[in-house]
Amino acid sequence: MSRTEDLAELIAAIGACQRCGLAAGRKHTVPGEGAVPAKLMFIGEGPGAREDELGRPFVGRSGALLDRLIEEEFGFGRENCYIANVVKCRPPGNRDPLDDEVDECSGYLARQLELVDPVVVVMLGRIAASRLLQRREPLKELRGQRFELGGRRYIPTYHPAAALRGGASVVTEMRVDFARARLAMLGAG
Ligand code: URA
C-alpha cells in the first residue's frame, strides 16, 4: 500500500474510533490534514468547537493565527505541511484532554508521525510538548530549545490560543520558535 493509502486507512480508523469517552460527544473526528510526506508537522492539543463542526484541525481563531504565522515565517501555506492534534475528538467545553484520552489516541499520532515522516515537529502548547517529549517541565522552560528524538527535530512553542490571550509578546516568541523550526527544517539549525 502507498503512504497515502495507509494514511486514508488510518483516517478511516480514527473516524470509527470508540476507544475513549470523547467519542460520545463528538460531531466529527478531526484526524489531521496536509501534505504527505511533509518536512514540517504541527501538533496541537485537540479540536475546539469549530474543528468539531468541520472535522478539520485549526480552523477557528487559533487556526487563523497559525495560518498567518506559517505563511509569514515559513513562506508557504498550511497545505505544504501537516497539521494534527494529540487527541482527535473534542474534549467537552475545551477542557484539557485527560491522560487516558491521550493514551488511547497516542497510537494514531505515532502512526501519523511515521507516515508524514517530518524532519521537524512543532509542538503547539504544553499538552503536545509534554506528551511528545515525555517531560514535565512547564512549557516556558521547554521552549527556546530544540530536541532530537528518533531522527526528528522537535520544537516546543506556545499554543496559538495562548498567543491570542497573551498578545504581541507571545506572538513574537512564537515567531522566534517558528524561525528556529525553519532553520531546523533546512538543516541549518
Ligand atoms: N486547538 C487545538 O489544539 N487544535 C485545534 O485543532 C484547534 C484548536
Side-chain angles (χ1 to χ4, degrees):
M1 261 206 295
S2 72
R3 199 190 290 255
T4 313
E5 286 167 338
D6 282 341
L7 194 69
E9 195 171 273
L10 179 68
I11 287 172
I14 293 170
C17 184
Q18 297 288 333
R19 293 179 67 95
C20 81
L22 295 181
R26 73 182 176 222
K27 291 188 178 136
H28 293 101
T29 53
V30 181
E33 66 184 28
V36 182
K39 284 195 168 159
L40 178 64
M41 180 163 171
F42 291 90
I43 301 179
E45 179 178 318
R50 187 86 183 128
E51 290 76 21
D52 182 48
E53 291 282 344
L54 299 179
R56 298 183 56 209
F58 282 101
V59 286
R61 286 183 65 225
S62 290
L65 176 59
L66 179 62
D67 286 352
R68 179 155 65 84
L69 292 180
I70 292 173
E71 275 166 29
E72 291 176 3
E73 298 303 324
F74 291 93
F76 51 67
R78 63 149 57 202
E79 66 283 1
N80 296 107
C81 49
Y82 197 88
I83 304 179
N85 282 302
V86 170
V87 295
K88 315 302 189 200
C89 297
R90 182 185 183 209
N94 293 343
R95 65 157 168 75
D96 288 351
L98 306 175
D99 283 346
D100 65 314
E101 293 162 352
V102 175
D103 288 344
E104 292 298 340
C105 227
S106 64
Y108 297 133
L109 184 60
R111 185 76 180 124
Q112 272 175 319
L113 275 161
E114 276 171 16
L115 293 171
V116 176
D117 197 19
V119 176
V120 174
V121 178
V122 177
M123 299 162 294
L124 301 166
R126 175 181 59 84
I127 302 274
S130 60
R131 168 57 60 148
L132 285 151
L133 299 175
Q134 296 287 303
R135 302 277 291 246
R136 290 172 175 273
E137 297 95 315
L139 182 66
K140 264 203 307 223
E141 287 171 26
L142 295 174
R143 77 159 285 277
Q145 304 182 58
R146 192 184 88 185
F147 297 83
E148 304 270 348
L149 285 176
R152 306 188 204 287
R153 297 159 177 189
Y154 286 79
I155 310 273
T157 191
Y158 294 107
H159 192 285
L164 289 172
R165 287 192 303 270
S169 64
V170 182
V171 174
T172 301
E173 288 181 289
M174 286 186 78
R175 284 188 191 280
V176 170
D177 297 335
F178 278 32
R180 179 177 291 112
R182 181 166 164 274
L183 286 178
M185 209 177 91
L186 300 173

